[in-house]
Amino acid sequence: MSLLDSLNQDMKQAMKNKDKQTLSVIRMVKASLQNEAIKLGKDKLSEDEELTVLTRELKQRKDSLHEFNEAGRDDLVKKLDEEIRTLQVYMPQQLSSEELEQIILGTIKEVGATSKKEMGKVMSAVMPKVKGKADGSQVNQLVQKNLS
């Protein structure tokens, strides 16, 4: 089942359950997917493009969550936390730290990196492999750790 089909099905269920929070998040994601398709001039996005949009939406919410936490806005923190949980349902299974470390070590050997100067080369090779399955900041930290 495609992401759009899944979103439509869950949207109907949220309407039946009168779950306004989930319904709102699903509508925002669908709008983002449609906007991306229009921007790219396509009728339908590929799975990879859909994952890119989902990842962007999740990252925006996590960044906002961090800001609201620092500002002491508990009302907004709770709302964003629920939105993040709703979005994570549609994301692929996240890699464990061990799995991620193995991918990074393999990629470092693959590109022949030996110092932190080559971090960009390693990051650009790792990120497509872990797209949607790992947080970029976690990848960045592990790459730095393994290149030092």
Side-chain angles (χ1 to χ4, degrees):
M1 179 184 302
S2 77
L3 176 63
L4 210 49
D5 293 338
S6 180
L7 286 169
N8 285 329
Q9 192 174 26
D10 291 349
M11 188 167 87
K12 288 176 191 173
Q13 191 61 46
M15 285 179 185
K16 287 178 185 176
N17 296 342
K18 296 184 182 355
D19 183 354
K20 291 180 181 178
Q21 179 71 30
T22 302
L23 185 59
S24 172
V25 172
I26 291 173
R27 283 182 172 154
M28 280 190 276
V29 170
K30 282 185 66 177
S32 292
L33 289 168
Q34 288 173 330
N35 288 339
E36 187 73 12
I38 291 167
K39 182 176 137 189
L40 297 174
K42 296 182 175 184
D43 289 336
K44 187 172 178 161
L45 296 175
S46 68
E47 280 186 42
D48 194 42
E49 292 164 336
E50 289 176 341
L51 184 59
T52 300
V53 172
L54 265 180
T55 304
R56 184 181 327 128
E57 290 292 318
L58 194 58
K59 183 178 182 337
Q60 286 174 350
R61 283 167 178 79
K62 284 183 178 179
D63 291 346
S64 296
L65 183 69
H66 178 70
E67 295 297 321
F68 291 150
N69 264 327
E70 285 183 0
R73 294 293 310 267
D74 295 333
D75 54 330
L76 295 173
V77 167
K78 184 177 182 252
K79 181 179 182 266
L80 273 176
D81 216 21
E82 290 173 15
E83 287 183 15
I84 289 170
R85 276 198 299 276
T86 302
L87 279 174
Q88 285 175 331
V89 169
Y90 303 103
M91 294 295 289
Q93 181 69 36
Q94 298 293 296
L95 294 170
S96 69
S97 294
E98 294 80 27
E99 293 170 320
L100 185 56
E101 185 127 21
Q102 290 305 314
I103 291 171
I104 289 170
L105 289 172
T107 306
I108 288 172
K109 287 179 187 169
E110 215 175 90
V111 298
T114 56
S115 70
K116 283 192 178 186
K117 289 179 183 175
E118 299 169 293
M119 187 165 166
K121 191 189 317 182
V122 175
M123 287 296 291
S124 62
V126 169
M127 289 312 288
K129 295 178 183 179
V130 299
K131 186 173 193 167
K133 298 177 187 172
D135 183 49
S137 61
Q138 183 184 14
V139 173
N140 189 314
Q141 289 171 352
L142 286 172
V143 169
Q144 281 184 358
K145 183 183 111 183
N146 287 300
L147 282 178
S148 50

